[in-house]
Amino acid sequence: IKRVLMGRLIGRMFLKKAVKEGVRFDKNAPTATVLKTTKDSGDMEQQKREWIDKIREYSDFRNENFVHPFFGKMTREQVGIFAYKHADHHLIQFGA
């Protein structure tokens, strides 16, 4: 995924905040266009199964060259913290 210009300029600074302990994601934070969902609805049970599978697969995550479109290169630990906080953000958002 191509890095966005704003991410190249300030992404590293925001990554530090995003993975900082005790700090939750802000409401209404922008989403990179390439990551936005284009469907209005879907099979929620299928989505839950896929999400659970992705969580299980993380234990084998070894991408040393992972690059987020906004934050840039991230370590395995940063990816894990970010994924946890991102999931938490959406669970709160939808009242789960």
Side-chain angles (χ1 to χ4, degrees):
I1 297 174
K2 187 176 177 181
R3 297 271 320 272
V4 295
L5 177 61
M6 191 59 72
R8 289 183 182 275
L9 298 174
I10 61 173
R12 299 304 298 170
M13 179 177 65
F14 278 85
L15 176 60
K16 288 180 184 180
K17 179 183 176 190
V19 298
K20 186 176 180 181
E21 188 174 337
V23 176
R24 284 199 152 140
F25 283 9
D26 294 333
K27 289 183 179 181
N28 301 316
T31 301
T33 303
V34 70
L35 299 175
K36 288 184 180 178
T37 301
T38 58
K39 294 181 181 179
D40 290 334
S41 63
D43 182 344
M44 288 300 290
E45 290 305 313
Q46 175 65 26
Q47 292 294 317
K48 283 194 269 185
R49 285 190 299 272
E50 288 177 14
W51 193 21
I52 289 167
D53 289 344
K54 294 291 182 195
I55 291 168
R56 288 183 177 136
E57 289 172 12
Y58 178 72
S59 65
D60 295 325
F61 179 80
R62 299 287 183 266
N63 186 347
E64 301 294 326
N65 298 310
F66 180 82
V67 178
H68 186 276
F70 183 78
F71 299 118
K73 189 171 172 97
M74 294 172 68
T75 66
R76 183 179 190 275
E77 181 181 21
Q78 289 170 327
V79 170
I81 293 168
F82 183 81
Y84 173 85
K85 287 185 169 193
H86 192 185
D88 180 64
H89 169 78
H90 286 297
L91 288 170
I92 290 169
Q93 176 186 16
F94 296 111

